Amino acid sequence: RLSKAAFEKDYNLDTNFVEFDLNVTNTGGVDSDDVVLGFFVPPGAGKDGTPLKMLYNFERVFVPKGKSARVRFGVPALAFTQIQENGERIPWPGLYKFEFGLKETAAFKMGY
């Protein structure tokens, strides 16, 4: 005998699933702003339409010369989901890689 069961999902995709604290140090000779970029590389990046990386957060921070500032980045749970062809949002399992800044700026000592 089969019975029909109904389930209600109760979760908030807007809450942070992962948080990072970053220290940004101004090693230059003048006070300056810096824009810190937070990316993640999703499972299967570059295959079957999966993006190579996704920007999940950014923040502009003022850092006096020779000083450091702390930046806290939260990654919302929504970032770890995909939308199926039928429109249903499901968890996106796999290994994620997190990156901060742009590789292209590393040569200019602008963080990466």
Side-chain angles (χ1 to χ4, degrees), residues 19-24 69-74 100:
E19 288 188 337
F20 295 98
D21 284 327
L22 305 169
N23 284 321
V24 179
R70 179 167 287 186
V71 176
R72 174 167 277 184
F73 275 178
F100 302 96

Side-chain angles (χ1 to χ4, degrees), residues 27-100:
T27 58
V30 296
D31 297 348
S32 182
D33 284 354
D34 188 32
V35 178
V36 183
L37 305 174
F39 295 95
F40 71 83
V41 178
K47 299 176 189 162
D48 299 322
T50 303
L52 295 174
K53 68 169 76 174
M54 298 172 70
L55 177 70
Y56 67 86
N57 209 332
F58 66 93
E59 185 171 331
R60 178 179 297 274
V61 61
F62 175 77
V63 188
K65 66 180 179 179
K67 302 288 183 185
S68 295
R70 179 167 287 186
V71 176
R72 174 167 277 184
F73 275 178
V75 186
L78 186 67
F80 299 97
T81 64
Q82 320 180 273
I83 298 176
Q84 300 297 294
E85 288 182 17
N86 66 2
E88 180 184 9
R89 185 175 293 277
I90 63 168
W92 193 356
L95 183 65
Y96 290 77
K97 179 181 175 188
F98 291 89
E99 299 177 350
F100 302 96

